[in-house]
Amino acid sequence: MNKTRMEMKKLKMGILGCGYIATKMAEAVKGLEKQNLGVEAYAVASRELAKAQKFAKENGFKKAYGSYEELARDPKVDLIYIATPHSHHFDCAKICLEHNKNLLIEKAFCANTKQATQIIAMAHEKGTFLCEAMWTRFLPAVQMVNDWICAGKIGKVESVEADFSQPISHVERLQNPALAGGALLDLGIYSLTFADLFLGTTFVRDNKTVKPAVNPIVKIDSQCTKFSTGVDATDWVNITYENGQKAFLKASITAPWHNEGTIYGTKGSIWVKNLNDMEELRLFDATGKLLKTVKPPRLVNCYEYEVLACKKALENPGKFRHEICDVQQNAPRNCKRDASKSKSSSNSVWECPEMPHAKTLDMMEMMDGLRANWGVNYPFEISPNDTWNRSGDKSILQIFDVETGKVKTLHKFDCVIEAPNWSLDGTFLTYNAGGRIYRYTIATGKIEMVPSYFVDNCNNDHVLAPDGSGLYVSHHTKEDGLSRIYKIFFDGRRPELITPLAPSYLHGISPDGMELAYCAERNGEYDIYTIPAVGGNETRLTTAKGLNDGPEYDSDGAYIWFNSVRTGRMQAWCMKADGTEQTQITDDPHWNTWFPHISPDKKRVVMVAYHESDVRPGEHVPNKNVELRLIERTRKAAPTKPHAWTQAKTILKLFGGQGTINVNSWAPDSKRFAFVSYKKAK
């Protein structure tokens, strides 16, 4: 009886892939098994059966499979560790999740954020456990360092330095862009993690209690040198945090061996040998005198700590598993679902607190941003230059009738036009093209340019003034190229500057014309602000982490609709005009929904939606197949009540994206809206 109960508690581990990193995990798993810590070296899989059999024999695993699918189908496997190259994590994870397998995926989690979001969404739908195998975050050494910091051993932390360099560019996988090679995903992620561990979270004293607090990044400066194949060979990344702390990071696959990090404080420093496994810690005072040396414990080779954390989470689903919910501003991600507010299925999040899904996405997005800055992309990705190349594209200005479902074409353009506004009297539309604003008379098709003088680099964020005098526009100024809000006039008056601070992207105006609502980046965070239409002090309405964008007032000015990525997907939200009652309205597990535009009668909201495979959650780009989606009011309740709205339904599929419906384009009768579709130049 006791033996049977002990066997039931054993975690049967499967390893997918039989390369170098798999041998390290196999060593850890076998070590845990030998120490009777409830883990069993059960099965391995390779695309070649002979290779799997050899690996299993050498590492003491019981079963060997000649395909990944066979391992995923084995009902006895409790947890699969994916040990293939970064480029293959996505496909391997999908195979396993299709068979409802719990996963531990080697870092970097995937090759990019788009892949990562799909895998996380799939795990949520399946209700399976998922964790990124960033073993450093699970080490006892991390807690030791934080204990020293919290105890004031080095005073106030000011900066960190980290360098993980190895002359390993001869390894074919690291040279190959098709395998997501380069320094960043292999070594740079350790330097970034080191900074995030000790600067990304600060510790604030509340009376006698020390509590963690998020310390947002406000600036990143970076550069890289490239290998001959185009992957990054050596990376330098300097990060500035909101509280003034700084990180100076390096990673290289060509430089001499160097693997260490230092945390500097006002009273001393902490030196860490090896960023990955933190083999040794040294505490110094302000003069450089060595005060203490510690070699943190290791049961095997330090890979075991992430396995034990996964085992703990799998054995305690009540503690580590929670349902996805409508998350209010600044509410914890693991809040209980309110059945009255939710329209989604029983999706759930099952994760380790040491490496939550949100942190995985944060790191993936950071690395995507670094690669974009360096011009490093992989063959299986669409390069940003290709995505944004709109030269020769044609535009079609159209109207959709929501009652009949019919589309009417107004005009075809041999250039890119964007973001139609519909005038309050219903007689004309305005749009932007080539940096200028144009007026299109619906009855005659006449096109006129609105006089704007030096305001000649307008983007697709503009709204009509309710009094009919002109438009408020977002214009990229020549001084720094950043977007600021101006008012331009139909009668030819000189433009007026509204927001000296930049960047500011306009989206809404109150019905009385007194207030503007816009998205602005301040100190590295994109949030929603309001400002008097004549200028003045701006008011911040959102503080939730991630991009908050697209704010616009409803027709009586009581509520502001917007889109936010705070819950992991870009979705439609609504709040009172003072920023209270921020509530998620849409909950599409595989779509990123942008720019909710509410009709004048407040009965309908139209949005543009991107599939998760096409964009990152916070990305709004052109040249994509998108859908226009509609939700409708179902009862007389506050707009911030999700149950007051139907689930989003697709009303039109088209080629578009950036520029299709950036701003409110409803007709005054609330039955039609204008939009732009595109034809890509051949």
Side-chain angles (χ1 to χ4, degrees):
M1 177 68 71
N2 290 339
K3 182 178 179 181
T4 302
R5 290 181 65 184
M6 183 177 68
E7 287 179 348
M8 288 176 63
K9 291 180 180 179
K10 283 187 177 180
L11 178 77
K12 292 183 182 294
M13 279 287 297
I15 296 180
L16 190 155
C18 295
Y20 169 77
I21 201 70
T23 64
K24 304 298 289 184
M25 178 57 76
E27 179 186 351
V29 171
K30 197 64 182 178
L32 292 173
E33 182 181 75
K34 290 178 179 178
Q35 296 178 53
N36 295 317
L37 292 175
V39 178
E40 179 181 339
Y42 178 69
V44 298
S46 172
R47 288 175 294 186
E48 301 174 14
L49 179 58
K51 187 174 181 179
Q53 290 173 333
K54 182 175 183 291
F55 186 98
K57 183 178 180 180
E58 291 176 349
N59 294 279
F61 279 68
K62 296 176 177 60
K63 287 183 174 288
Y65 292 112
S67 73
Y68 301 151
E69 290 85 356
E70 288 179 276
L71 177 64
R73 286 198 299 265
D74 188 330
K76 293 184 179 180
V77 175
D78 296 313
L79 178 68
I80 293 178
Y81 169 69
I82 294 179
T84 55
H86 319 299
S87 53
H88 292 56
H89 288 180
F90 176 68
D91 291 331
C92 293
K94 285 203 300 182
I95 291 171
C96 296
L97 288 172
E98 285 167 359
H99 292 86
N100 299 301
K101 280 294 184 283
N102 302 310
L103 293 179
L104 176 62
I105 303 177
E106 178 55 34
K107 62 82 196 161
F109 186 76
C110 285
N112 56 43
T113 309
K114 286 191 289 187
Q115 292 182 349
T117 55
Q118 291 181 69
I119 294 305
I120 290 173
M122 191 172 180
H124 289 177
E125 286 185 335
K126 296 284 188 178
T128 57
F129 173 82
L130 177 67
C131 184
E132 181 179 4
M134 171 43 75
W135 58 318
T136 309
R137 292 185 181 272
F138 297 84
L139 299 176
V142 172
Q143 188 59 51
M144 291 180 179
V145 172
N146 279 327
D147 287 344
W148 283 352
I149 292 172
C150 291
K153 298 292 186 182
I154 62 171
K156 181 181 178 182
V157 175
E158 295 183 323
S159 65
V160 304
E161 292 179 356
D163 183 352
F164 197 171
S165 300
Q166 296 179 347
I168 53 175
S169 60
H170 59 279
V171 178
E172 193 279 333
R173 175 181 66 82
L174 295 174
Q175 298 179 18
N176 193 343
L179 296 178
L184 182 63
L185 268 61
D186 221 78
L187 304 181
I189 190 171
Y190 286 113
S191 298
L192 294 171
T193 296
F194 189 80
D196 185 69
L197 282 170
F198 304 118
L199 296 185
T201 300
T202 58
F203 294 92
V204 180
R205 290 192 177 274
D206 181 10
N207 295 325
K208 295 182 178 180
T209 305
V210 178
K211 296 182 179 180
V214 175
N215 185 22
I217 293 172
V218 296
K219 184 180 181 182
I220 298 179
D221 296 309
S222 69
Q223 60 179 312
C224 83
T225 59
K226 296 181 183 179
F227 198 69
S228 58
T229 58
V231 301
D232 57 302
T234 300
D235 311 330
W236 294 270
V237 181
N238 296 336
I239 302 175
T240 303
Y241 293 84
E242 187 176 63
N243 66 0
Q245 294 174 329
K246 294 182 179 294
F248 306 96
L249 313 175
K250 179 188 174 186
S252 178
I253 57 174
T254 58
W257 184 284
H258 197 200
N259 185 5
E260 63 182 45
T262 305
I263 306 160
Y264 294 98
T266 55
K267 297 180 181 179
S269 62
I270 300 169
W271 177 83
V272 178
K273 180 180 180 181
N274 294 356
L275 300 177
N276 45 2
D277 64 354
M278 297 192 180
E279 179 182 335
E280 183 178 306
L281 312 176
R282 296 179 187 174
L283 176 64
F284 297 89
D285 67 14
T287 68
K289 179 183 177 181
L290 179 62
L291 301 178
K292 191 173 186 179
T293 299
V294 175
K295 289 195 174 183
R298 55 179 64 205
L299 297 172
V300 190
N301 60 3
C302 288
Y303 284 79
E304 65 273 12
Y305 292 110
E306 58 191 351
V307 175
L308 292 174
C310 292
K311 181 176 185 291
K312 183 178 180 181
L314 287 168
E315 291 175 346
N316 297 276
K319 183 177 180 181
F320 296 98
R321 183 176 187 168
H322 51 86
E323 292 185 17
I324 300 171
C325 61
D326 299 314
V327 182
Q328 298 289 337
Q329 182 183 21
N330 295 328
R333 292 180 66 86
N334 61 346
C335 59
K336 278 191 174 181
R337 175 185 291 273
D338 182 342
S340 68
K341 295 182 179 180
S342 175
K343 299 191 288 285
S344 65
S345 62
S346 57
N347 296 354
S348 65
V349 178
W350 201 354
E351 59 189 359
C352 280
E354 297 90 344
M355 190 73 238
H357 300 164
K359 181 57 66 178
T360 288
L361 289 175
D362 284 348
M363 300 304 288
M364 290 304 312
E365 287 178 349
M366 186 187 303
M367 291 190 291
D368 280 359
L370 291 169
R371 288 195 297 114
N373 183 51
W374 303 335
V376 173
N377 63 284
Y378 309 128
F380 49 85
E381 299 176 312
I382 300 174
S383 83
N385 289 337
D386 290 339
T387 299
W388 285 95
N389 181 8
R390 308 183 77 177
S391 58
D393 287 5
K394 299 180 185 297
S395 308
I396 307 170
L397 179 60
Q398 298 172 287
I399 294 173
F400 185 89
D401 189 311
V402 295
E403 296 187 348
T404 65
K406 293 183 178 180
V407 175
K408 178 181 180 181
T409 297
L410 295 181
H411 196 90
K412 296 182 179 180
F413 297 82
D414 290 328
C415 63
V416 172
I417 76 158
E418 298 179 312
N421 301 118
W422 206 311
S423 65
L424 289 177
D425 63 8
T427 62
F428 67 88
L429 299 168
T430 56
Y431 60 86
N432 64 288
R436 295 287 188 175
I437 303 294
Y438 292 84
R439 177 171 171 160
Y440 178 89
T441 302
I442 297 173
T444 64
K446 182 180 179 181
I447 297 173
E448 305 169 274
M449 186 173 74
V450 179
S452 59
Y453 302 92
F454 59 88
V455 177
D456 58 0
N457 196 10
C458 300
N459 58 33
N460 44 43
D461 303 322
H462 43 78
V463 295
L464 285 156
D467 63 5
S469 60
L471 299 92
Y472 293 89
V473 303
S474 297
H475 159 66
H476 293 272
T477 56
K478 292 181 174 63
E479 292 77 13
D480 54 16
L482 298 178
S483 176
R484 291 174 172 83
I485 299 173
Y486 286 78
K487 184 177 183 182
I488 62 175
F489 298 89
F490 289 129
D491 62 10
R493 278 177 281 169
R494 302 282 293 183
E496 297 177 354
L497 174 65
I498 309 299
T499 58
L501 295 178
S504 300
Y505 303 96
L506 177 68
H507 279 273
I509 187 168
S510 60
D512 60 9
M514 300 300 290
E515 295 284 328
L516 303 179
Y518 54 101
C519 167
E521 184 268 310
R522 305 289 183 258
N523 296 321
E525 292 292 327
Y526 283 88
D527 279 297
I528 292 169
Y529 292 78
T530 58
I531 195 171
V534 294
N537 295 325
E538 62 183 17
T539 300
R540 184 180 183 182
L541 298 186
T542 64
T543 57
K545 188 178 184 299
L547 176 60
N548 300 280
D549 197 4
E552 63 179 54
Y553 291 88
D554 63 11
S555 58
D556 61 14
Y559 292 92
I560 291 176
W561 287 77
F562 65 103
N563 51 281
S564 177
V565 76
R566 68 186 73 177
T567 55
R569 284 261 185 269
M570 187 62 77
Q571 297 295 320
W573 287 66
C574 184
M575 62 182 167
K576 285 189 173 181
D578 62 2
T580 60
E581 295 188 18
Q582 296 182 24
T583 306
Q584 184 175 342
I585 304 298
T586 62
D587 188 8
D588 295 321
H590 295 291
W591 293 84
N592 291 290
T593 301
W594 286 78
F595 305 132
H597 303 309
I598 185 159
S599 59
D601 62 8
K602 300 184 291 184
K603 293 181 179 179
R604 299 183 176 102
V605 176
V606 66
M607 303 156 284
V608 62
Y610 293 83
H611 192 265
E612 64 183 357
S613 62
D614 281 333
V615 297
R616 294 178 292 171
E619 190 174 41
H620 180 239
V621 296
N623 298 330
K624 295 290 183 181
N625 291 315
V626 297
E627 295 186 357
L628 295 184
R629 293 189 164 189
L630 190 76
I631 60 174
E632 296 181 283
R633 194 78 171 267
T634 60
R635 64 185 70 185
K636 290 184 178 180
T640 50
K641 300 296 183 183
H643 61 269
W645 298 89
T646 61
Q647 289 194 31
K649 65 178 180 180
T650 299
I651 56 175
L652 192 64
K653 297 181 180 181
L654 57 103
F655 185 73
Q658 178 78 268
T660 292
I661 53 167
N662 284 65
V663 293
N664 195 309
S665 56
W666 280 99
D669 61 11
S670 296
K671 298 178 180 179
R672 299 165 294 159
F673 63 85
F675 67 97
V676 182
S677 60
Y678 299 95
K679 287 187 176 181
K680 182 68 177 167
K682 295 181 180 179

